[in-house]
Amino acid sequence: MEKKISRILILVIIFSSSAFLFASGNQEAEKSPDIHYKYYVVTHGGISDPFWGVVKKGAKDAGEKFNCDVVYLGPETFSIQNLVNMVETAIAGKPDGLVVSITDIQALDKPLRSAIESGIPVIAINVPDSRDSSKRIPYLVYVGVDDYLVGIEAAKRMLEEFELNKPK
């Protein structure tokens, strides 16, 4: 049980904080020489996209800090079928944790539920399962923003800024 809690905590720490924690520089993490975990990050974007290149580097840096293997899988070009295949490949590797952008809920529902049922902790990154909690894939946590709410806030701010010139 302690090993399971450790691997889940490391997974959450690595992928929820790597962009913030390691972007600033010299933080030190205690490495465990006795335990070596393996995590997969599977996204719908390839490393040629600057956004995903940063995610891959952050995951790699965090893996080095925590003495974990981090395997990043992303397609050369966007393809739901390739994403599903990569998720299934990652699950077959029996990782200690899996981070996935859930770009297509229907396509990823079955493999991710299967991974979770087999004991693989899953984190959603960048794209969550937006269904209500009774239908949502039961991943541990979502790392990202809610683009819908960001759009609402941006619209409110624009309307405040341009009060005098509001469209009729």
Side-chain angles (χ1 to χ4, degrees):
M1 182 65 158
E2 187 175 308
K3 182 180 178 190
K4 182 177 180 179
I5 291 171
S6 293
R7 72 184 175 122
I8 291 171
L9 285 175
I10 290 172
L11 175 69
V12 171
I13 289 168
I14 286 174
F15 297 104
S16 65
S17 66
S18 63
F20 305 106
L21 181 62
F22 301 112
S24 62
N26 295 324
Q27 293 78 9
E28 289 299 319
E30 186 175 324
K31 294 181 181 180
S32 171
D34 302 331
I35 302 171
H36 196 80
Y37 296 114
K38 183 174 188 175
Y39 301 102
Y40 279 81
V41 179
V42 185
T43 68
H44 64 279
I47 59 168
S48 61
D49 179 319
F51 176 87
W52 292 112
V54 171
V55 171
K56 180 181 180 182
K57 181 175 180 347
K60 178 184 171 285
D61 290 350
E64 289 173 6
K65 295 279 186 184
F66 287 97
N67 194 31
C68 300
D69 290 330
V70 178
V71 179
Y72 180 91
L73 301 174
E76 289 298 316
T77 58
F78 179 78
S79 164
I80 293 299
Q81 188 57 55
N82 285 347
L83 178 63
V84 171
N85 292 344
M86 289 182 296
V87 166
E88 290 172 345
T89 296
I91 293 167
K94 300 192 184 313
D96 293 295
L98 179 61
V99 178
V100 181
S101 56
I102 305 177
T103 316
D104 186 311
I105 298 165
Q106 279 67 39
L108 292 170
D109 189 276
K110 186 176 178 181
L112 290 179
R113 285 183 191 276
S114 174
I116 292 164
E117 289 169 10
S118 74
I120 299 171
V122 173
I123 289 178
I125 185 174
N126 187 252
V127 183
D129 180 341
S130 58
R131 298 176 290 186
D132 86 26
S133 61
S134 66
K135 295 178 183 170
R136 181 176 69 83
I137 299 165
Y139 47 80
L140 294 173
V141 65
Y142 167 64
V143 178
V145 299
D146 184 327
D147 291 327
Y148 180 76
L149 291 177
V150 169
I152 289 173
E153 293 304 314
K156 286 179 184 176
R157 177 68 179 104
M158 283 185 230
L159 289 173
E160 288 172 10
E161 184 69 27
F162 302 107
E163 180 90 29
L164 298 175
N165 298 320
K166 275 187 186 175
K168 303 275 188 258

